Amino acid sequence: MLPSVQLVSIATAVPPFCFEQRDVAAAAHRGFADRFDDFARLSAVFLSSGILRRYGVRPLEWYFEPLGWPERSKAYLDGGVQLFMDAATKALDRAGLTAAEVDTVVTVSSTGIATPSLEARVAGRMGFRADIERVPVFGLGCAGGVSGLSIASRLAQSRPGSVVLMVAIELCTLAFRLDELTKANIVATALFGDGAAACVLRAGEGGLATVEMSGQYIWPDTLDIMGWSIDPQGFGVIFDRDIPPFAEANMNPAIVGILERAGLGLDDIDRFTFHPGGTKVVNALERAFSLGQGALNHEREILAEYGNMSAPTALFVLERVIEAGLPSRTLVTAMGPGFTTTCASLKRAA
């Protein structure tokens, strides 16, 4: 029988520059209004998004300068390295461990390209051993934090006693584009922020919760829903379908199927913890799972305080759920490019 895997600790971090939503809206007006006839109508998303502030790796003014791959890549490497160290160090401290005790590190990120990858760039400064195993993961988008937790738990289970560190880092603000006069770009400008989350996992006893199961579901013919376009200026966001109605119609049966394969049902879940992609997405998920008012209060709080940070966001919500008192069984869920949903069930430690 395989040993149980414990979530030993979780921690989050954000970069130093805080953007009030009203300031982002004003800057976007200066950057787009004179060139994009539909901007006045689309700009309502800055108010309807439910976001009050966000964080970025560069000052707000920097994003409205002419930028290409070199400038964006430098910001990704500088900001990503620091955020990795901030989140990982905090998670290890909470676990009572040092970086030298980490056996495997999983790094999840889809908002920049780094070769060598981020965990290699911080290895010396963090104090990782020379024989640490590195697992960099790219392309999971908003599902990356939950998928990374699942990957890390299986790696921990395969080597009982080993310590696995998972770090999800996304610098979504680096995809802000002045040159793209599209609805998707305006929505992205209103929603996305930067952040990182880290988890420490280990097979055996002692921890916050047991990772008891995980699963994924990919819907056919949905590659166009979400992703990146790539051109000489950098990444450009793709939102080719309306995600909230898709989530409302399709998330429940997908999650039911994943749970059934693990011998569980919706009634076994005490708290759903979702990736809050936006206010409309949160509302759609409440309807899809027949959740009462206030059931997703932590999701709305994280969205308001940090925006949509892609992969780390669901883990920001999980951290807050843990701080408030982890229920007996929590299902952490996110959607991402593919188009896919991923989930992991956490059973509170006795």
Side-chain angles (χ1 to χ4, degrees), residues 86-345:
D86 291 346
T89 299
K90 192 185 299 184
L92 288 169
D93 287 346
R94 290 179 176 177
L97 297 169
T98 67
E101 295 175 275
V102 176
D103 299 292
T104 304
V105 58
V106 178
T107 306
V108 176
S109 187
S110 300
T111 47
I113 298 172
T115 306
S117 49
L118 293 175
E119 76 286 339
R121 293 172 184 267
V122 305
R125 293 164 65 184
M126 285 289 301
F128 292 143
R129 299 195 315 269
D131 64 349
I132 193 171
E133 293 199 47
R134 299 162 45 219
V135 185
V137 181
F138 178 87
L140 296 175
C142 295
V146 181
S147 290
L149 178 65
S150 171
I151 293 167
S153 70
R154 291 197 295 274
L155 290 170
Q157 192 171 53
S158 69
R159 293 183 179 177
S162 66
V163 174
V164 180
L165 171 68
M166 191 283 291
V167 185
I169 304 169
E170 300 294 10
L171 307 187
C172 303
T173 63
L174 299 181
F176 289 174
R177 299 283 295 263
L178 272 176
D179 60 309
E180 290 200 349
L181 304 181
T182 64
K183 176 183 177 180
N185 187 46
I186 300 303
V187 171
T189 304
L191 289 181
F192 287 123
D194 299 342
C199 299
V200 175
L201 298 105
R202 181 169 51 197
E205 301 299 323
L208 300 170
T210 300
V211 184
E212 61 175 356
M213 60 77 69
S214 62
Q216 293 188 30
Y217 183 87
I218 184 168
W219 288 279
D221 304 319
T222 56
L223 295 179
D224 61 337
I225 290 184
M226 179 189 293
W228 290 134
S229 62
I230 300 174
D231 61 31
Q233 300 304 311
F235 290 128
V237 69
I238 295 174
F239 294 138
D240 273 1
R241 293 198 214 174
D242 200 352
I243 295 172
F246 183 92
E248 184 172 354
N250 294 281
M251 272 290 283
N252 186 302
I255 295 299
V256 166
I258 295 171
L259 290 173
E260 284 180 347
R261 289 192 291 276
L264 297 171
L266 293 179
D267 291 342
D268 294 309
I269 306 303
D270 299 296
R271 212 290 184 184
F272 291 91
T273 296
F274 292 108
H275 165 72
T279 293
K280 291 182 179 180
V281 173
V282 175
N283 292 341
L285 291 168
E286 282 182 332
R287 292 191 294 270
F289 290 88
S290 302
L291 301 176
Q293 187 175 8
L296 302 183
N297 56 327
H298 295 309
E299 283 82 349
R300 288 189 169 87
E301 290 169 2
I302 292 299
L303 184 65
E305 296 170 23
Y306 300 100
N308 183 345
M309 298 168 285
S310 189
T313 318
L315 300 178
F316 272 68
V317 178
L318 177 60
E319 181 185 42
R320 189 153 296 186
V321 170
I322 291 171
E323 289 171 350
L326 195 65
S328 179
R329 180 178 280 120
T330 301
L331 191 74
V332 191
T333 302
M335 296 179 289
F339 192 65
T340 187
T341 185
T342 182
C343 67
S345 175

Side-chain angles (χ1 to χ4, degrees), residues 10-72:
I10 185 170
T12 58
V14 292
F17 299 101
C18 180
F19 309 148
E20 297 295 331
Q21 184 75 326
R22 61 178 180 273
D23 295 332
V24 181
H29 185 273
R30 293 193 298 271
F32 292 109
D34 292 342
R35 301 182 297 120
F36 190 14
D37 291 340
D38 209 23
F39 178 78
R41 181 181 66 85
L42 295 175
S43 65
V45 69
F46 286 94
L47 292 176
S48 64
S49 65
I51 296 169
L52 299 178
R53 64 189 58 86
R54 292 171 276 160
Y55 294 83
V57 293
R58 290 288 190 266
L60 182 59
E61 298 76 16
W62 180 86
Y63 296 93
F64 293 89
E65 298 173 0
L67 301 171
W69 272 109
E71 295 82 8
R72 298 179 197 274

